[in-house]
Amino acid sequence: SQQGEEDPQALSIQEGENATMNCSYKTSINNLQWYRQNSGRGLVHLILIRSNEREKHSGRLRVTLDTSKKSSSLLITASRAADTASYFCATDAHDYKLSFGAGTTVTVRA
Amino acid sequence: NAGVTQTPKFQVLKTGQSMTLQCAQDMNHEYMSWYRQDPGMGLRLIHYSVGAGITDQGEVPNGYNVSRSTTEDFPLRLLSAAPSQTSVYFCASSYSEGDEQFFGPGTRLTVL
């Protein structure tokens, strides 16, 4: 079964706005990763946050992790049309298996 | 570096046929994995390998076989294709288990 669940399922925003999506998971983890998938393409790794980290930044991306609530959030600031994609969280729970959620579909309107 | 390559990109099979999806990586990664992606369900792990000669089952292994004779290659075999195996298949690799994964472009498989 899938460990992570993203919320919302879909998000539509205006160019320049921020986009926030959340991921909840069920068991203790070693790390949590976020990936992006453009339509019809393979997934691209965005950011990895370890269980002992609370926040991480990469360019316009900000990821937080709250292990007490078993949740993570991905913030994309100043969104662009090129950010239109599906975003997935994936958890590494010490069992050699990366478990993906169903994803959040983000549409950035011009 | 080519990264992770997959062949074919598209395939149509009839029920009962068998075939092999190819996956190769040139990054000397120890960990490789196969996922299937169905609409609204994200990626589900089929099989994975932590090194040459070592494979194990993921979440949805039934109907699929894998082998890992070299570090570079990790083929996925469909033994007797069924319509339920219609999906997009992704191969991925990483330096070790738990690291960021590099994905191939995918194989879109239709079973009639």
Side-chain angles (χ1 to χ4, degrees), chain B residues 33-100:
Chain B
S33 52
W34 276 103
Y35 298 89
R36 59 177 288 173
Q37 184 176 32
D38 301 296
M41 296 193 70
L43 276 74
R44 291 184 291 169
L45 182 65
I46 304 171
H47 285 284
Y48 66 96
S49 169
V50 298
I54 307 169
T55 64
D56 205 345
Q57 296 181 351
E59 183 185 351
V60 288
N62 292 343
Y64 307 95
N65 270 358
V66 293
S67 60
R68 183 100 178 267
S69 57
T70 67
T71 298
E72 293 78 20
D73 300 298
F74 191 43
L76 177 73
R77 296 183 192 83
L78 279 70
L79 309 173
S80 177
S84 61
Q85 293 178 304
T86 293
S87 188
V88 181
Y89 291 84
F90 289 101
C91 178
S93 74
S94 61
Y95 180 70
S96 67
E97 178 266 337
D99 287 341
E100 68 168 286

Side-chain angles (χ1 to χ4, degrees), chain B residues 10-14 82-83 85-87 89 108-112:
Chain B
F10 301 93
Q11 183 70 48
V12 179
L13 293 178
K14 294 181 180 177
Q85 293 178 304
T86 293
S87 188
Y89 291 84
R108 189 173 295 273
L109 176 69
T110 301
V111 183
L112 302 174

